[in-house]
Amino acid sequence: MASYSKGLEGVIAAETKMSYIDGEKGVLEYVGIPIGQLAEFSTFEETVFLLWNTRLPRKGELADFSAKIRALYELPAEIQAMIGQLPKDAQPMHVMRTLVSALGMYDAKPNATDVPTVREKALKILACAPAMLAYFHRHRQGKPFVKPDANMGFAENFLYMLNGAKPTAAMVKALDVCLVLHTDHGLNNSTFSARVVISTMSDIYSAITAAIGSLRGPLHGGANEGVMIMLNEIPTVEAAEKYVHDKLAKKDKIMGFGHRVYKAYDPRASHLKVLAKQLAHDTGNMALYEKSSRIEKVMSEAVAAKGIYPNVDFYSATTYHCIGLPLDLFTPMFVLSRIGGWSGHVIEQLSDNRLFRPDVDYKGPHGVAYTPMDQR
Ligand code: CMC
């Protein structure tokens, strides 16, 4: 038996050319480019091109790539009809998991695993995901669907379909930055799930569906909703200190803090903190930002020495709230972005595949005689 690491901590299980993390120094790069530079200068579409091609696009290439995504924004009519039948109280993460899976049934060749075809399928899933979420949100509100506008970029078109009104440039930029920051992150649990599934030579719809199921857990992408629930539970900025200490005394986790890989400040959180502050100021939500900031201060005094700092989910909660998104769409926003990363990993895995099949350390008895039913 080879060595065992609970939760696969510290185990290298794949090679990637997409994102690099130095958890001790708080560094994240996509294809070598520091995440801060991408947040400032890139767009979500360009970032996805970068990850899928391991280089930045030239002007014409980016225009072509964006045009291809925009041409695929609309959902098949059958999926639109399906959304109209969904229970209005369904959870959006369950909706996303179901609809990505369903999309595969309207693909003439869902099981193709050659890389050029898988890239086309990945584009389709990426392009269709915003309408799945926006249409479901309209459906549960009893409002008509707002058709996508191919003149708009990914972030702008999503907010337009969701709210039925053209968003401001500031909101579009804020959402786009969030999408860039969330696109890829090493071999996180959902990305690993996608790679494990595709390594059986299954199909990309199954791989992305599995990844969505993984992401929704509160220890992973579900934490951003947990953060907002916590912020809502804390009545005032002053109450934050007691709230945090009470939780820590009970050994409860504070959502949005800690990370398996980062033992320094998550570089995505530092960008989101600046963004959250600006948006909170612009939208009259400073109390929310100040509550977050106070929680961070208390946590830093209490547990920073253990390497526990805010992670990507902590300030993304305030950011999404200020963009006007309802709480249960926070984790689905992670999905819209991470489909870019998951798909890139599916392509990488297929390009040099080996079936994932680790061993398990059996701890049970041996040589036990079968006991007939009447003697148990
Ligand atoms: N609040 C309080 N204590 C914490 C926290 C936290 N958020 N995170 C870790 N700790 C403590 C934990 O109690 C333990 O203490 P002790 O050694 O005294 O028992 C120690 O730190 C190690 O914690 P762990 O849970 O064994 O470490 P891990 O590597 O398994 O945890 C984690 C990583 C993300 C699951 C964990 O930090 C956590 O549950 N955080 C809250 C949920 C969260 O914010 N998740 C989002 C992660 S980032 C985005 C993403 O990946 O989707």
Side-chain angles (χ1 to χ4, degrees):
M1 176 61 63
S3 64
Y4 164 54
S5 171
K6 195 170 183 183
L8 297 185
E9 185 163 2
V11 172
I12 296 171
E15 291 181 336
T16 186
K17 291 185 173 156
M18 292 168 57
S19 56
Y20 168 77
I21 305 166
D22 182 333
E24 297 297 327
K25 295 192 183 129
V27 170
L28 171 61
E29 296 170 345
Y30 291 170
V31 196
I33 304 175
I35 193 66
Q37 289 188 24
L38 291 165
E40 200 174 341
F41 305 119
S42 188
T43 62
F44 178 60
E45 288 90 332
E46 184 180 62
T47 297
V48 174
F49 183 102
L50 169 71
L51 292 168
W52 291 9
N53 298 281
T54 61
R55 64 173 177 81
L56 286 169
R58 287 181 286 276
K59 201 173 175 186
E61 288 175 322
L62 180 58
D64 282 355
F65 190 68
S66 299
K68 274 188 169 175
I69 296 175
R70 291 172 189 211
L72 295 167
Y73 276 163
E74 184 57 296
L75 293 174
E78 295 88 343
I79 301 278
Q80 295 185 40
M82 203 179 281
I83 294 173
Q85 300 299 314
L86 293 174
K88 292 191 171 171
D89 61 354
Q91 294 174 30
M93 282 300 282
H94 293 247
V95 169
M96 293 305 290
R97 191 195 59 222
T98 302
L99 295 182
V100 166
S101 178
L103 192 63
M105 291 189 281
Y106 300 98
D107 179 332
K109 289 185 178 168
N111 300 339
T113 49
D114 64 288
V115 168
T117 311
V118 169
R119 277 174 173 263
E120 296 300 320
K121 295 181 191 311
L123 265 186
K124 172 96 179 156
I125 300 170
L126 182 82
C128 282
M132 291 174 185
L133 193 56
Y135 286 8
F136 171 70
H137 185 60
R138 307 280 301 177
H139 160 67
R140 69 181 177 175
Q141 292 178 309
K143 293 181 179 169
F145 298 164
V146 176
K147 297 288 161 196
D149 185 337
N151 294 312
M152 296 183 183
F154 192 92
E156 182 179 19
N157 176 58
F158 170 68
L159 290 174
Y160 170 67
M161 290 190 295
L162 189 75
N163 300 319
K166 203 172 154 42
T168 64
M171 290 302 163
V172 173
K173 176 63 187 164
L175 184 61
D176 199 59
V177 169
C178 290
L179 294 171
V180 167
L181 293 174
H182 285 84
T183 319
D184 191 40
H185 203 243
L187 202 58
N188 59 87
N189 191 294
S190 54
T191 298
F192 185 47
S193 305
R195 288 189 82 131
V196 167
V197 170
I198 205 67
S199 82
T200 69
M201 301 305 278
S202 179
D203 61 284
I204 186 169
Y205 298 97
S206 297
I208 303 293
T209 300
I212 296 172
S214 153
L215 187 75
R216 68 164 287 276
L219 298 188
H220 193 4
N224 59 12
E225 293 179 18
V227 172
M228 196 66 217
I229 292 167
M230 170 174 73
L231 291 171
N232 288 336
E233 276 172 6
I234 302 175
T236 58
V237 176
E238 293 66 38
E241 186 153 354
K242 180 171 168 7
Y243 180 95
V244 171
H245 283 304
D246 286 353
K247 285 255 178 201
L248 292 179
K250 284 190 277 172
K251 290 252 169 224
D252 283 354
K253 297 263 179 78
I254 302 294
M255 290 290 117
F257 283 82
H259 201 277
R260 175 61 65 81
V261 180
Y262 291 118
K263 300 304 165 201
Y265 211 101
D266 181 333
R268 301 166 298 175
S270 33
H271 287 279
L272 284 164
K273 184 176 179 177
V274 174
L275 188 60
K277 186 174 185 186
Q278 184 62 51
L279 283 179
H281 175 266
D282 296 349
T283 59
N285 280 299
M286 272 317 268
L288 195 63
Y289 173 79
E290 278 159 12
K291 244 189 260 178
S292 309
S293 172
R294 183 67 66 90
I295 294 170
E296 184 186 340
K297 184 169 180 291
V298 179
M299 283 294 278
S300 124
E301 287 156 7
V303 291
K306 280 166 82 176
I308 300 171
Y309 293 93
N311 59 47
V312 68
D313 289 316
F314 190 61
Y315 284 104
S316 66
T318 303
T319 306
Y320 289 146
H321 179 82
C322 294
I323 292 174
L325 297 169
L327 194 157
D328 64 358
L329 297 195
F330 289 11
T331 313
M333 295 314 302
F334 208 150
V335 172
L336 299 194
S337 164
R338 192 54 67 84
I339 287 173
W342 293 329
S343 303
H345 280 270
V346 163
I347 293 164
E348 251 186 2
Q349 184 67 34
L350 286 172
S351 306
D352 183 23
N353 189 44
R354 182 159 171 81
L355 175 74
F356 280 101
R357 204 316 184 178
D359 283 331
V360 67
D361 190 6
Y362 174 70
K363 295 291 192 192
H366 294 280
V368 180
Y370 179 80
T371 315
M373 185 63 82
D374 61 356
Q375 292 172 27
R376 287 179 216 164

